[in-house]
Amino acid sequence: LHDALPIYPLDGHRHLVRLKLAAALMALDCRYDAVTHGDWERAGAVMAVSDATRHSIQELHRSEADRQNVSRGKADGIRAAVAEDTKHDRDVSRVAANIVNKLKANDGSMPRGQMRNKFAGRDKKYFDEAEQFLIESDRIKKSDSENAGPKGHVLVLIGQV
């Protein structure tokens, strides 16, 4: 029967511990001659409770470790999202500053399509958002003009050239 049970590191001296426990139970019964079958069985019952307690504590530790891992994973996800948002905001700000600089270098106005074409591919994805930010913060405006072409408009720097 013992061979069918899993072997745990703490169970290496299981029989010796059970024998010592049976001897202690014998002494508590004021007998000092021999460990009886009853002592051995009671020691087994005590060890079963001890094993159950140990296993429940180990499971509690595993559950707590799992909970901490989930918590760390969520924190890592939040941290990654904040880092991504911060990078995105920085990229939009950089593109907005470049729009302003290009307008200043071009006497304060430029057709939108021509302006957008001056940006590298990696920055074009931020162009619309940067343009909208500059319009909402009253730093540039859109203006219809013959120079803009049939579908476009001109970006005009407000107040500074």
Side-chain angles (χ1 to χ4, degrees):
L1 178 64
H2 180 67
D3 293 336
L5 297 174
I7 303 295
Y8 297 103
L10 296 176
D11 291 341
H13 294 85
R14 184 169 188 75
H15 291 300
L16 180 60
V17 171
R18 186 171 177 180
L19 179 60
K20 287 180 179 182
L21 185 53
L25 291 171
M26 175 190 70
L28 285 173
D29 203 24
C30 297
R31 291 181 291 107
Y32 303 101
D33 52 346
V35 172
T36 65
H37 181 72
D39 296 330
W40 183 256
E41 291 300 316
R42 284 193 306 259
V46 170
M47 289 188 68
V49 171
S50 175
D51 290 345
T53 303
R54 177 172 24 119
H55 291 119
S56 69
I57 296 298
Q58 288 171 333
E59 183 56 36
L60 182 66
H61 283 202
R62 275 191 293 277
S63 296
E64 178 61 18
D66 290 347
R67 188 196 63 75
Q68 287 178 357
N69 284 335
V70 167
S71 180
R72 277 190 218 105
K74 286 179 181 179
D76 289 347
I78 292 168
R79 192 174 4 266
V82 168
E84 186 178 317
D85 288 348
T86 300
K87 182 186 179 316
H88 177 82
D89 292 347
R90 191 174 57 240
D91 289 337
V92 170
S93 294
R94 179 176 44 78
V95 170
N98 285 340
I99 290 172
V100 169
N101 290 336
K102 289 180 189 325
L103 287 172
K104 284 180 182 178
N106 201 51
D107 296 326
S109 69
M110 182 182 288
R112 183 186 189 279
Q114 183 182 347
M115 168 72 76
R116 192 171 191 285
N117 286 337
K118 290 190 175 282
F119 283 86
R122 69 181 175 93
D123 288 341
K124 284 183 181 176
K125 63 183 174 184
Y126 304 111
F127 186 87
D128 293 343
E129 195 173 343
E131 176 189 37
Q132 190 61 37
F133 167 75
L134 291 169
I135 291 169
E136 289 174 1
S137 61
D138 292 326
R139 296 183 61 197
I140 67 170
K141 66 181 178 177
K142 291 180 184 179
S143 175
D144 292 329
S145 172
E146 297 170 8
N147 296 339
K151 294 185 178 179
H153 54 269
V154 174
L155 297 179
V156 179
L157 195 59
I158 297 175
Q160 50 183 321
V161 178

